[in-house]
């Protein structure tokens, strides 16, 4: 297995579905590893095969699942007048985002939302009346491609995310033997689209760096105070551990050979959300 640390920037708004609140479609402020797995599978197959068949996607996705995909968290400065960017992980019990490299540094969740979030309003038209259809007005929360502090162009910064992949050194798909090295990963991220609203031009990203590292221990959690801060969703189990955070019923869309992308759902299961804290 090869381990890669990847930093990419948003080139357009990004929408990572976090459920609806009334007429507002909410977004996560991070990119789950499963989203990266699906996007990498699609990008890899399309870059290698001019006319890929449906089984090529299944073969590549199954091979890539042998590795691990971390959550990609936003990189932000914590201290005023400090340009150092930290990988910020949500901490649900404290309503903050904490710096992975310095857990004592934190930003309030509302502050992170005000930096990164925007919204897009839309409605459906009733052709007979040439007016908005009743009950169709809705708003979609988005991660903006640029955030700013204060006024002026010099204060604007590109929105960047950092995460880790552990991938097989080689995979087989479509009858081809494919090396999964740093140049290949960079090429895939260069033409990758993530999240929803891609017909609106959302989800375009560009890699800033793809580094090979020896290892990474934070795919599931990192040490935090007297417990472990979850860096990915984790199945709920009756194992006697005390958990502070939020639970949700999770079911994800997958590729269906007969009906296409996103037309099949995984089995639903209860999970602890990213940002929950587990105590021994």
């Amino acid at each position: 297995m090869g381990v890669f640390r990847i930093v990419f920037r948003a080139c357009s708004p990004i929408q990572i579905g976090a459920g609806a609140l009334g007429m507002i479609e909410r977004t996560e402020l991070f990119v789950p590893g499963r989203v990266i797995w699906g996007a990498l599978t699609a990008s890899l197959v399309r870059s290698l095969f001019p006319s890929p068949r449906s089984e090529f996607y299944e073969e590549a996705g199954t091979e890539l699942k042998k590795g691990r995909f971390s959550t990609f968290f936003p990189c932000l400065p914590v201290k005023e007048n400090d340009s150092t960017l930290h990988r910020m992980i949500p901490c649900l019990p404290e309503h903050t985002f904490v710096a992975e490299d310095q857990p004592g540094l934190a930003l309030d969740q509302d502050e992170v939302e005000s930096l990164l979030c925007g919204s897009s309003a839309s409605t459906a038209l009733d052709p007979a009346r040439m007016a908005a259809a009743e009950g169709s007005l809705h708003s979609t929360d988005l991660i903006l491609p640029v955030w700013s502090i204060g006024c002026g162009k010099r204060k604007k910064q590109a929105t960047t995310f950092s995460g880790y992949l552990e991938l097989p050194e080689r995979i087989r798909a479509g009858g081809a033997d494919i090396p999964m090295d740093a140049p290949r990963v960079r090429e895939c991220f260069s033409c990758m689209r993530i999240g929803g609203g891609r017909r609106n031009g959302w989800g375009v990203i560009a890699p800033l760096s793809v580094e090979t590292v020896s290892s990474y221990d934070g795919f599931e959690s990192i040490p935090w105070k007297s417990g472990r801060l979850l860096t990915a969703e984790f199945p709920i189990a009756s194992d006697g551990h005390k958990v502070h955070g939020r639970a949700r019923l999770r079911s994800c869309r997958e590729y269906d050979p007969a009906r296409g992308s996103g037309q099949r759902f995984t089995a639903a299961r209860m999970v602890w959300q990213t940002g929950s804290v587990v105590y021994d």
Side-chain angles (χ1 to χ4, degrees):
M1 293 282 186
V3 182
F4 305 94
R5 179 182 183 272
I6 299 167
V7 179
F8 67 77
R9 67 180 179 91
C11 300
S12 71
I14 295 174
Q15 211 280 333
I16 305 296
L21 183 64
M23 68 175 188
I24 302 173
E25 293 290 335
R26 304 186 66 210
T27 185
E28 300 285 14
L29 297 179
F30 50 81
V31 184
R34 185 177 181 84
V35 172
I36 298 297
W37 164 76
L40 180 62
T41 298
S43 179
L44 176 66
V45 171
R46 291 168 185 163
S47 68
L48 291 174
F49 305 102
S51 301
R53 299 200 296 267
S54 61
E55 58 264 30
F56 293 2
Y57 292 98
E58 288 195 284
E59 292 168 1
T62 300
E63 289 281 288
L64 289 173
K65 271 187 178 178
K66 296 176 182 177
R68 292 191 291 176
F69 294 75
S70 84
T71 303
F72 278 67
F73 293 108
C75 301
L76 295 168
V78 177
K79 297 179 180 179
E80 190 174 353
N81 299 322
D82 184 359
S83 60
T84 303
L85 299 181
H86 302 269
R87 188 170 182 246
M88 304 300 292
I89 300 174
C91 179
L92 297 179
E94 297 197 352
H95 199 69
T96 60
F97 275 68
V98 299
E100 181 181 26
D101 56 340
Q102 299 182 54
L105 299 179
L107 291 173
D108 186 82
Q109 183 176 323
D110 294 335
E111 184 177 0
V112 175
E113 289 181 359
S114 68
L115 282 175
L116 297 181
C117 275
S119 63
S120 173
S122 60
T123 188
L125 293 177
D126 181 349
R129 298 187 301 118
M130 292 301 293
E134 185 176 353
S136 66
L137 178 66
H138 66 279
S139 176
T140 303
D141 286 346
L142 302 167
I143 302 173
L144 299 175
V146 174
W147 55 268
S148 60
I149 298 178
C151 302
K153 293 182 178 179
R154 293 185 180 180
K155 298 292 184 180
K156 296 184 181 296
Q157 300 285 338
T159 302
T160 59
F161 295 83
S162 174
Y164 294 81
L165 306 184
E166 184 179 70
L167 301 175
E169 293 183 1
R170 310 185 77 84
I171 67 170
R172 285 196 63 80
D177 186 54
I178 307 166
M180 295 303 298
D181 51 16
R184 174 78 65 190
V185 173
R186 176 180 278 276
E187 178 186 359
C188 290
F189 270 77
S190 296
C191 54
M192 186 182 288
R193 301 283 293 275
I194 61 173
R198 280 170 277 183
R199 291 183 180 179
N200 299 327
W202 302 343
V204 180
I205 65 172
L208 297 179
S209 66
V210 178
E211 305 174 55
T212 302
V213 297
S214 57
S215 63
Y216 177 63
D217 298 326
F219 282 97
E220 296 179 350
S221 65
I222 61 171
W224 188 79
K225 293 186 177 180
S226 58
R228 305 280 305 180
L229 178 62
L230 295 183
T231 56
E233 290 183 342
F234 198 78
I236 292 178
S238 301
D239 54 6
H241 287 88
K242 182 180 178 181
V243 182
H244 285 178
R246 299 188 196 127
R248 68 165 43 154
L249 182 65
R250 169 62 73 193
S251 180
C252 301
R253 292 179 179 269
E254 285 190 333
Y255 182 83
D256 184 273
R259 295 182 294 170
S261 177
Q263 300 302 310
R264 181 173 67 191
F265 288 88
T266 61
R269 62 176 183 172
M270 291 298 296
V271 298
W272 291 111
Q273 289 185 225
T274 302
S276 298
V277 178
V278 180
Y279 298 94
D280 295 328

